Each structure stands twice: as C-alpha cells, then as structure tokens.
Amino acid sequence: MIRAVIFDWAGTTIDYGNQAPVLAIRKAFQQFGLQVGRRQLYQSNGVDPLTRIQQLLSADNLKQAWYIKHPDIDVKAGAIEIYKWFNRDLIETLPQVAKVKAGIPTLISYLRTQAFDLPQRRFTRPQC
C-alpha cells in the first residue's frame, strides 16, 4: 500500500528548461529600471536566486545603474527588493514555460486509482 508520495517539481515532474528563473530575474530587474544582459543572466546559473541577484547587482555596470536610478537605496537592500519581485514574477512566468514531464500524468492517474487523494493546489512561494 502506498502511504506517501513526495514530488520534487523542478526537473522531476515539471520541465521548465531553466527559463522560468532566468525570465523572472530579468523581469524583476526591469521593475527597477535595470537591464540585465543575456550573458550576465546565464553566468551565475546554479546558485539560489537571492545569491544570483546579489551577484548580478555587484557587477560594475548594474551597481552603477542601480545607484543612478535609486541613489537613496543601498545595493544590499536593493537585492532584497529585487528578490521579492523575482518571487512574484516566477509564479507568473512558470505557466508560460513549464511543461509536465512525460509519464507524470500516467503516474497521477495510477495514484488516484489507488485511492490516493492528491490535492489540486498551485504552488505559491512564501512572501519575503
């Protein structure tokens, strides 16, 4: 008898081609009037989003642009604000680029035939 099923959505059940975080980070920076180049976006792949935003914002071109646009806000505080927007933007971006991986619908159907009650909830990130 199956008693529990734990899904790791990122790359296991959902293929988002690593685009959702990149698009969300770009959009979050745009909320503050900053343009992040494609090359810069992909340089720091593989780290958590807040660290990635901090790394991007420490680049000379983005740091300078930050202080021109937001002279009264410290870069560290700015990274936190960008991160908050990233979380919102990620939730909006995921449905545009995410695809359920092959076999997952069959697995869900099978689990339901085993009287397994799977919630139909959307993932939401906690607010900062």
Side-chain angles (χ1 to χ4, degrees):
M1 174 169 94
I2 299 171
R3 299 194 65 168
V5 177
I6 299 170
F7 292 106
D8 166 29
W9 70 274
T12 304
T13 58
I14 303 290
D15 180 9
Y16 60 90
N18 223 12
Q19 291 303 303
V22 170
L23 295 172
I25 284 177
R26 175 178 273 165
K27 188 174 177 184
F29 271 85
Q30 288 171 344
Q31 300 285 354
F32 293 88
L34 303 176
Q35 300 299 317
V36 182
R38 183 175 174 86
R39 188 174 187 196
Q40 279 183 300
L41 279 171
Y42 286 95
Q43 276 181 329
S44 55
N45 252 352
V47 298
D48 69 277
L50 180 56
T51 300
R52 190 173 189 185
I53 289 166
Q54 291 167 332
Q55 288 172 348
L56 287 166
L57 207 49
S58 71
D60 290 339
N61 66 320
L62 290 171
K63 186 189 293 185
Q64 183 179 19
W66 177 265
Y67 281 122
I68 289 169
K69 299 257 184 200
H70 309 282
D72 299 332
I73 304 173
D74 170 88
V75 172
K76 287 183 181 183
I80 299 297
E81 292 305 311
I82 293 170
Y83 179 69
K84 289 177 185 178
W85 276 99
F86 162 79
N87 283 321
R88 293 178 196 123
D89 293 336
L90 182 62
I91 298 303
E92 291 175 13
T93 304
L94 276 171
Q96 299 166 20
V97 297
K99 306 282 185 258
V100 175
K101 291 187 97 172
I104 297 301
T106 304
L107 174 60
I108 298 297
S109 294
Y110 170 76
L111 291 172
R112 288 203 170 112
T113 66
Q114 302 301 305
F116 216 81
D117 184 27
L118 298 172
Q120 302 265 338
R121 288 183 273 178
R122 288 184 56 186
F123 170 79
T124 56
R125 267 190 198 272
Q127 295 297 315
C128 292

Short mmCIF file of all heavy atoms in Angstrom, two decimals, residues 2-56:
data_model
loop_
_atom_site.label_atom_id
_atom_site.label_comp_id
_atom_site.label_asym_id
_atom_site.label_seq_id
_atom_site.Cartn_x
_atom_site.Cartn_y
_atom_site.Cartn_z
N ILE A 2 0.55 2.19 -0.85
CA ILE A 2 1.28 3.45 -0.92
C ILE A 2 0.78 4.36 0.20
O ILE A 2 -0.40 4.59 0.34
CB ILE A 2 1.08 4.14 -2.28
CG1 ILE A 2 1.59 3.23 -3.40
CG2 ILE A 2 1.77 5.50 -2.31
CD1 ILE A 2 1.22 3.73 -4.78
N ARG A 3 1.70 4.87 1.00
CA ARG A 3 1.31 5.73 2.12
C ARG A 3 1.69 7.18 1.90
O ARG A 3 1.09 8.07 2.49
CB ARG A 3 1.94 5.21 3.39
CG ARG A 3 1.45 3.77 3.67
CD ARG A 3 1.76 3.34 5.01
NE ARG A 3 0.98 4.20 5.92
CZ ARG A 3 0.84 3.94 7.19
NH1 ARG A 3 1.41 2.89 7.70
NH2 ARG A 3 0.15 4.74 7.97
N ALA A 4 2.68 7.42 1.07
CA ALA A 4 3.09 8.80 0.82
C ALA A 4 3.80 8.89 -0.53
O ALA A 4 4.45 7.94 -0.96
CB ALA A 4 4.03 9.29 1.92
N VAL A 5 3.65 10.03 -1.16
CA VAL A 5 4.37 10.33 -2.39
C VAL A 5 4.87 11.77 -2.28
O VAL A 5 4.11 12.67 -1.95
CB VAL A 5 3.46 10.21 -3.64
CG1 VAL A 5 4.21 10.60 -4.89
CG2 VAL A 5 2.89 8.81 -3.75
N ILE A 6 6.15 11.93 -2.51
CA ILE A 6 6.74 13.26 -2.44
C ILE A 6 7.28 13.59 -3.82
O ILE A 6 8.07 12.83 -4.39
CB ILE A 6 7.87 13.31 -1.39
CG1 ILE A 6 7.29 12.99 -0.01
CG2 ILE A 6 8.55 14.68 -1.41
CD1 ILE A 6 8.34 12.79 1.06
N PHE A 7 6.84 14.71 -4.36
CA PHE A 7 7.30 15.14 -5.68
C PHE A 7 8.25 16.33 -5.55
O PHE A 7 7.98 17.27 -4.82
CB PHE A 7 6.11 15.59 -6.54
CG PHE A 7 5.19 14.48 -6.92
CD1 PHE A 7 3.95 14.36 -6.30
CD2 PHE A 7 5.54 13.57 -7.88
CE1 PHE A 7 3.09 13.35 -6.65
CE2 PHE A 7 4.69 12.56 -8.25
CZ PHE A 7 3.46 12.44 -7.62
N ASP A 8 9.32 16.26 -6.27
CA ASP A 8 10.21 17.41 -6.45
C ASP A 8 9.86 17.94 -7.83
O ASP A 8 10.10 17.30 -8.84
CB ASP A 8 11.67 16.95 -6.40
CG ASP A 8 12.62 18.01 -6.91
OD1 ASP A 8 12.30 19.21 -6.79
OD2 ASP A 8 13.67 17.64 -7.44
N TRP A 9 9.24 19.10 -7.89
CA TRP A 9 8.70 19.57 -9.16
C TRP A 9 9.76 20.01 -10.16
O TRP A 9 9.64 19.76 -11.35
CB TRP A 9 7.67 20.68 -8.93
CG TRP A 9 8.26 21.97 -8.46
CD1 TRP A 9 8.54 22.32 -7.18
CD2 TRP A 9 8.63 23.08 -9.26
NE1 TRP A 9 9.07 23.58 -7.13
CE2 TRP A 9 9.13 24.08 -8.40
CE3 TRP A 9 8.60 23.32 -10.62
CZ2 TRP A 9 9.60 25.29 -8.86
CZ3 TRP A 9 9.06 24.55 -11.08
CH2 TRP A 9 9.54 25.51 -10.20
N ALA A 10 10.81 20.67 -9.71
CA ALA A 10 11.78 21.28 -10.62
C ALA A 10 12.67 20.25 -11.30
O ALA A 10 13.64 19.78 -10.74
CB ALA A 10 12.62 22.31 -9.88
N GLY A 11 12.32 19.90 -12.51
CA GLY A 11 13.12 18.98 -13.29
C GLY A 11 12.70 17.53 -13.15
O GLY A 11 13.08 16.69 -13.95
N THR A 12 11.94 17.20 -12.13
CA THR A 12 11.48 15.84 -11.92
C THR A 12 10.09 15.64 -12.50
O THR A 12 9.86 14.74 -13.30
CB THR A 12 11.48 15.49 -10.42
OG1 THR A 12 12.80 15.71 -9.91
CG2 THR A 12 11.08 14.06 -10.18
N THR A 13 9.16 16.47 -12.10
CA THR A 13 7.79 16.36 -12.62
C THR A 13 7.49 17.45 -13.64
O THR A 13 6.64 17.28 -14.49
CB THR A 13 6.76 16.46 -11.47
OG1 THR A 13 6.94 17.71 -10.80
CG2 THR A 13 6.91 15.32 -10.50
N ILE A 14 8.19 18.56 -13.53
CA ILE A 14 7.98 19.69 -14.43
C ILE A 14 9.30 20.04 -15.10
O ILE A 14 10.32 20.17 -14.44
CB ILE A 14 7.48 20.95 -13.66
CG1 ILE A 14 6.20 20.66 -12.89
CG2 ILE A 14 7.33 22.13 -14.60
CD1 ILE A 14 4.98 20.44 -13.75
N ASP A 15 9.26 20.21 -16.40
CA ASP A 15 10.44 20.67 -17.15
C ASP A 15 10.19 22.12 -17.51
O ASP A 15 9.29 22.43 -18.27
CB ASP A 15 10.63 19.83 -18.40
CG ASP A 15 11.83 20.27 -19.21
OD1 ASP A 15 12.60 21.11 -18.72
OD2 ASP A 15 12.00 19.77 -20.33
N TYR A 16 10.97 22.99 -16.93
CA TYR A 16 10.81 24.40 -17.27
C TYR A 16 12.03 24.90 -18.03
O TYR A 16 12.20 26.10 -18.23
CB TYR A 16 10.52 25.26 -16.03
CG TYR A 16 11.59 25.23 -14.97
CD1 TYR A 16 12.64 26.13 -14.98
CD2 TYR A 16 11.54 24.30 -13.94
CE1 TYR A 16 13.62 26.10 -14.02
CE2 TYR A 16 12.51 24.27 -12.97
CZ TYR A 16 13.55 25.18 -13.01
OH TYR A 16 14.50 25.14 -12.04
N GLY A 17 12.88 24.00 -18.46
CA GLY A 17 14.01 24.35 -19.30
C GLY A 17 14.91 25.43 -18.73
O GLY A 17 15.60 26.11 -19.45
N ASN A 18 14.86 25.59 -17.44
CA ASN A 18 15.66 26.59 -16.74
C ASN A 18 15.34 28.02 -17.18
O ASN A 18 16.06 28.94 -16.86
CB ASN A 18 17.15 26.30 -16.90
CG ASN A 18 17.90 26.47 -15.62
OD1 ASN A 18 17.31 26.59 -14.56
ND2 ASN A 18 19.20 26.48 -15.70
N GLN A 19 14.27 28.18 -17.94
CA GLN A 19 13.92 29.51 -18.43
C GLN A 19 13.15 30.34 -17.42
O GLN A 19 13.32 31.55 -17.38
CB GLN A 19 13.11 29.39 -19.72
CG GLN A 19 13.92 28.89 -20.89
CD GLN A 19 15.14 29.76 -21.16
OE1 GLN A 19 15.02 30.95 -21.38
NE2 GLN A 19 16.31 29.17 -21.09
N ALA A 20 12.30 29.72 -16.65
CA ALA A 20 11.46 30.48 -15.72
C ALA A 20 12.28 31.34 -14.76
O ALA A 20 12.02 32.55 -14.65
CB ALA A 20 10.51 29.56 -14.96
N PRO A 21 13.28 30.81 -14.08
CA PRO A 21 14.06 31.66 -13.18
C PRO A 21 14.79 32.79 -13.91
O PRO A 21 14.84 33.92 -13.43
CB PRO A 21 15.04 30.70 -12.52
CG PRO A 21 14.42 29.37 -12.64
CD PRO A 21 13.66 29.39 -13.94
N VAL A 22 15.34 32.48 -15.07
CA VAL A 22 16.07 33.49 -15.84
C VAL A 22 15.13 34.62 -16.27
O VAL A 22 15.44 35.80 -16.10
CB VAL A 22 16.75 32.85 -17.07
CG1 VAL A 22 17.31 33.91 -18.00
CG2 VAL A 22 17.84 31.89 -16.63
N LEU A 23 13.97 34.24 -16.79
CA LEU A 23 13.00 35.26 -17.22
C LEU A 23 12.49 36.08 -16.04
O LEU A 23 12.31 37.29 -16.14
CB LEU A 23 11.83 34.59 -17.95
CG LEU A 23 12.18 33.91 -19.27
CD1 LEU A 23 11.00 33.13 -19.80
CD2 LEU A 23 12.67 34.92 -20.29
N ALA A 24 12.28 35.41 -14.90
CA ALA A 24 11.78 36.11 -13.72
C ALA A 24 12.83 37.07 -13.16
O ALA A 24 12.49 38.18 -12.72
CB ALA A 24 11.34 35.11 -12.65
N ILE A 25 14.09 36.67 -13.17
CA ILE A 25 15.15 37.57 -12.71
C ILE A 25 15.25 38.78 -13.63
O ILE A 25 15.32 39.92 -13.17
CB ILE A 25 16.50 36.84 -12.59
CG1 ILE A 25 16.49 35.96 -11.33
CG2 ILE A 25 17.67 37.83 -12.54
CD1 ILE A 25 17.72 35.12 -11.14
N ARG A 26 15.22 38.54 -14.93
CA ARG A 26 15.29 39.66 -15.89
C ARG A 26 14.12 40.64 -15.64
O ARG A 26 14.31 41.84 -15.58
CB ARG A 26 15.25 39.15 -17.32
CG ARG A 26 15.19 40.31 -18.33
CD ARG A 26 15.20 39.81 -19.73
NE ARG A 26 16.61 39.67 -20.09
CZ ARG A 26 17.06 39.01 -21.12
NH1 ARG A 26 16.22 38.37 -21.90
NH2 ARG A 26 18.33 38.95 -21.40
N LYS A 27 12.92 40.09 -15.48
CA LYS A 27 11.74 40.92 -15.27
C LYS A 27 11.83 41.68 -13.94
O LYS A 27 11.45 42.85 -13.87
CB LYS A 27 10.48 40.05 -15.31
CG LYS A 27 9.20 40.84 -15.30
CD LYS A 27 8.00 39.93 -15.51
CE LYS A 27 6.71 40.72 -15.43
NZ LYS A 27 5.53 39.85 -15.53
N ALA A 28 12.33 41.03 -12.90
CA ALA A 28 12.46 41.68 -11.60
C ALA A 28 13.42 42.87 -11.68
O ALA A 28 13.14 43.93 -11.13
CB ALA A 28 12.93 40.68 -10.55
N PHE A 29 14.53 42.71 -12.37
CA PHE A 29 15.46 43.82 -12.55
C PHE A 29 14.81 44.94 -13.35
O PHE A 29 15.00 46.13 -13.05
CB PHE A 29 16.76 43.36 -13.22
CG PHE A 29 17.81 42.87 -12.26
CD1 PHE A 29 17.80 41.57 -11.80
CD2 PHE A 29 18.80 43.72 -11.81
CE1 PHE A 29 18.76 41.12 -10.92
CE2 PHE A 29 19.77 43.29 -10.93
CZ PHE A 29 19.76 41.98 -10.47
N GLN A 30 14.02 44.59 -14.34
CA GLN A 30 13.33 45.59 -15.16
C GLN A 30 12.35 46.40 -14.32
O GLN A 30 12.13 47.58 -14.61
CB GLN A 30 12.59 44.93 -16.33
CG GLN A 30 13.54 44.42 -17.40
CD GLN A 30 12.85 43.58 -18.47
OE1 GLN A 30 11.72 43.11 -18.28
NE2 GLN A 30 13.53 43.37 -19.57
N GLN A 31 11.78 45.80 -13.28
CA GLN A 31 10.87 46.53 -12.39
C GLN A 31 11.57 47.73 -11.76
O GLN A 31 10.91 48.68 -11.35
CB GLN A 31 10.34 45.62 -11.27
CG GLN A 31 9.57 44.42 -11.72
CD GLN A 31 8.17 44.76 -12.21
OE1 GLN A 31 7.71 45.88 -12.12
NE2 GLN A 31 7.49 43.76 -12.75
N PHE A 32 12.89 47.66 -11.67
CA PHE A 32 13.67 48.74 -11.07
C PHE A 32 14.45 49.54 -12.11
O PHE A 32 15.37 50.28 -11.77
CB PHE A 32 14.61 48.15 -10.01
CG PHE A 32 13.86 47.61 -8.83
CD1 PHE A 32 13.42 46.29 -8.82
CD2 PHE A 32 13.56 48.42 -7.75
CE1 PHE A 32 12.69 45.79 -7.75
CE2 PHE A 32 12.84 47.92 -6.67
CZ PHE A 32 12.40 46.61 -6.67
N GLY A 33 14.08 49.35 -13.38
CA GLY A 33 14.70 50.12 -14.45
C GLY A 33 16.07 49.64 -14.87
O GLY A 33 16.83 50.38 -15.49
N LEU A 34 16.42 48.40 -14.53
CA LEU A 34 17.74 47.85 -14.87
C LEU A 34 17.61 46.77 -15.93
O LEU A 34 16.74 45.90 -15.84
CB LEU A 34 18.41 47.27 -13.63
CG LEU A 34 18.60 48.22 -12.45
CD1 LEU A 34 19.16 47.48 -11.26
CD2 LEU A 34 19.49 49.38 -12.83
N GLN A 35 18.50 46.81 -16.90
CA GLN A 35 18.54 45.80 -17.96
C GLN A 35 19.71 44.87 -17.71
O GLN A 35 20.86 45.32 -17.63
CB GLN A 35 18.69 46.47 -19.34
CG GLN A 35 17.55 47.41 -19.69
CD GLN A 35 16.21 46.68 -19.74
OE1 GLN A 35 16.09 45.59 -20.27
NE2 GLN A 35 15.18 47.32 -19.18
N VAL A 36 19.43 43.59 -17.60
CA VAL A 36 20.48 42.58 -17.39
C VAL A 36 20.69 41.87 -18.72
O VAL A 36 19.74 41.36 -19.32
CB VAL A 36 20.08 41.55 -16.31
CG1 VAL A 36 21.21 40.56 -16.10
CG2 VAL A 36 19.73 42.25 -15.02
N GLY A 37 21.91 41.85 -19.17
CA GLY A 37 22.23 41.19 -20.43
C GLY A 37 22.10 39.69 -20.34
O GLY A 37 22.25 39.09 -19.26
N ARG A 38 21.83 39.07 -21.47
CA ARG A 38 21.67 37.61 -21.54
C ARG A 38 22.90 36.88 -20.99
O ARG A 38 22.78 35.93 -20.23
CB ARG A 38 21.39 37.21 -22.98
CG ARG A 38 21.13 35.76 -23.19
CD ARG A 38 20.74 35.50 -24.66
NE ARG A 38 20.61 34.10 -24.93
CZ ARG A 38 19.51 33.41 -24.74
NH1 ARG A 38 18.44 34.00 -24.25
NH2 ARG A 38 19.47 32.13 -25.03
N ARG A 39 24.06 37.35 -21.36
CA ARG A 39 25.29 36.72 -20.90
C ARG A 39 25.41 36.78 -19.38
O ARG A 39 25.77 35.80 -18.73
CB ARG A 39 26.47 37.40 -21.57
CG ARG A 39 27.77 36.73 -21.33
CD ARG A 39 28.84 37.39 -22.16
NE ARG A 39 30.07 36.65 -22.06
CZ ARG A 39 31.24 37.12 -22.41
NH1 ARG A 39 31.32 38.34 -22.90
NH2 ARG A 39 32.31 36.40 -22.28
N GLN A 40 25.09 37.95 -18.81
CA GLN A 40 25.14 38.09 -17.35
C GLN A 40 24.14 37.17 -16.68
O GLN A 40 24.44 36.58 -15.64
CB GLN A 40 24.85 39.54 -16.95
CG GLN A 40 26.02 40.47 -17.06
CD GLN A 40 25.68 41.85 -16.57
OE1 GLN A 40 24.78 42.49 -17.12
NE2 GLN A 40 26.38 42.33 -15.57
N LEU A 41 22.96 37.05 -17.26
CA LEU A 41 21.92 36.21 -16.66
C LEU A 41 22.36 34.76 -16.53
O LEU A 41 22.07 34.10 -15.55
CB LEU A 41 20.64 36.26 -17.49
CG LEU A 41 19.75 37.47 -17.27
CD1 LEU A 41 18.65 37.52 -18.32
CD2 LEU A 41 19.16 37.46 -15.89
N TYR A 42 23.05 34.26 -17.54
CA TYR A 42 23.43 32.85 -17.54
C TYR A 42 24.75 32.57 -16.85
O TYR A 42 25.07 31.42 -16.57
CB TYR A 42 23.44 32.32 -18.97
CG TYR A 42 22.05 32.12 -19.51
CD1 TYR A 42 21.43 33.10 -20.28
CD2 TYR A 42 21.33 30.97 -19.20
CE1 TYR A 42 20.14 32.92 -20.75
CE2 TYR A 42 20.04 30.79 -19.67
CZ TYR A 42 19.45 31.77 -20.44
OH TYR A 42 18.17 31.60 -20.90
N GLN A 43 25.53 33.59 -16.53
CA GLN A 43 26.82 33.38 -15.88
C GLN A 43 26.67 32.78 -14.49
O GLN A 43 27.49 31.98 -14.08
CB GLN A 43 27.59 34.70 -15.77
CG GLN A 43 28.36 35.03 -17.01
CD GLN A 43 29.13 36.33 -16.85
OE1 GLN A 43 28.71 37.23 -16.14
NE2 GLN A 43 30.24 36.43 -17.54
N SER A 44 25.66 33.17 -13.78
CA SER A 44 25.54 32.73 -12.40
C SER A 44 24.46 31.66 -12.23
O SER A 44 23.87 31.55 -11.16
CB SER A 44 25.26 33.93 -11.49
OG SER A 44 24.13 34.64 -11.94
N ASN A 45 24.23 30.88 -13.27
CA ASN A 45 23.28 29.77 -13.17
C ASN A 45 23.74 28.78 -12.09
O ASN A 45 24.93 28.56 -11.92
CB ASN A 45 23.17 29.02 -14.50
CG ASN A 45 21.88 29.28 -15.19
OD1 ASN A 45 20.98 29.89 -14.65
ND2 ASN A 45 21.77 28.81 -16.41
N GLY A 46 22.78 28.19 -11.40
CA GLY A 46 23.11 27.13 -10.46
C GLY A 46 23.18 27.56 -9.00
O GLY A 46 23.38 26.72 -8.13
N VAL A 47 23.06 28.84 -8.73
CA VAL A 47 23.02 29.28 -7.33
C VAL A 47 21.60 29.70 -6.99
O VAL A 47 20.78 29.91 -7.88
CB VAL A 47 24.02 30.44 -7.05
CG1 VAL A 47 25.45 30.01 -7.30
CG2 VAL A 47 23.68 31.67 -7.87
N ASP A 48 21.32 29.81 -5.71
CA ASP A 48 19.97 30.19 -5.31
C ASP A 48 19.65 31.60 -5.83
O ASP A 48 20.57 32.40 -6.05
CB ASP A 48 19.81 30.11 -3.79
CG ASP A 48 20.61 31.17 -3.07
OD1 ASP A 48 21.82 30.97 -2.86
OD2 ASP A 48 20.03 32.23 -2.75
N PRO A 49 18.38 31.90 -6.04
CA PRO A 49 18.01 33.18 -6.67
C PRO A 49 18.50 34.43 -5.95
O PRO A 49 18.94 35.37 -6.60
CB PRO A 49 16.48 33.13 -6.70
CG PRO A 49 16.15 31.69 -6.66
CD PRO A 49 17.21 31.04 -5.84
N LEU A 50 18.45 34.45 -4.62
CA LEU A 50 18.90 35.65 -3.92
C LEU A 50 20.40 35.87 -4.13
O LEU A 50 20.83 36.99 -4.43
CB LEU A 50 18.58 35.57 -2.42
CG LEU A 50 19.02 36.78 -1.60
CD1 LEU A 50 18.43 38.08 -2.14
CD2 LEU A 50 18.65 36.59 -0.13
N THR A 51 21.18 34.81 -4.03
CA THR A 51 22.62 34.92 -4.28
C THR A 51 22.88 35.37 -5.71
O THR A 51 23.74 36.22 -5.96
CB THR A 51 23.32 33.57 -3.99
OG1 THR A 51 23.09 33.21 -2.63
CG2 THR A 51 24.81 33.65 -4.27
N ARG A 52 22.13 34.83 -6.62
CA ARG A 52 22.27 35.19 -8.03
C ARG A 52 21.99 36.68 -8.23
O ARG A 52 22.72 37.37 -8.94
CB ARG A 52 21.31 34.35 -8.84
CG ARG A 52 21.49 34.43 -10.31
CD ARG A 52 20.58 33.41 -10.92
NE ARG A 52 20.83 33.26 -12.32
CZ ARG A 52 20.11 32.50 -13.10
NH1 ARG A 52 19.12 31.80 -12.61
NH2 ARG A 52 20.38 32.41 -14.37
N ILE A 53 20.93 37.18 -7.62
CA ILE A 53 20.58 38.59 -7.73
C ILE A 53 21.68 39.45 -7.10
O ILE A 53 22.08 40.47 -7.67
CB ILE A 53 19.20 38.85 -7.08
CG1 ILE A 53 18.10 38.24 -7.95
CG2 ILE A 53 18.97 40.34 -6.85
CD1 ILE A 53 16.75 38.11 -7.29
N GLN A 54 22.19 39.03 -5.96
CA GLN A 54 23.27 39.77 -5.30
C GLN A 54 24.52 39.80 -6.18
O GLN A 54 25.18 40.83 -6.30
CB GLN A 54 23.59 39.16 -3.93
CG GLN A 54 22.49 39.36 -2.93
CD GLN A 54 22.64 38.50 -1.68
OE1 GLN A 54 23.22 37.41 -1.71
NE2 GLN A 54 22.09 38.99 -0.57
N GLN A 55 24.85 38.66 -6.81
CA GLN A 55 26.00 38.61 -7.70
C GLN A 55 25.81 39.54 -8.90
O GLN A 55 26.72 40.27 -9.27
CB GLN A 55 26.23 37.18 -8.20
CG GLN A 55 26.76 36.25 -7.16
CD GLN A 55 26.80 34.79 -7.63
OE1 GLN A 55 26.22 34.42 -8.66
NE2 GLN A 55 27.48 33.95 -6.87
N LEU A 56 24.62 39.49 -9.49
CA LEU A 56 24.35 40.36 -10.63
C LEU A 56 24.45 41.83 -10.24
O LEU A 56 25.04 42.64 -10.95
CB LEU A 56 22.96 40.06 -11.21
CG LEU A 56 22.84 38.76 -11.99
CD1 LEU A 56 21.37 38.40 -12.22
CD2 LEU A 56 23.58 38.86 -13.32
#
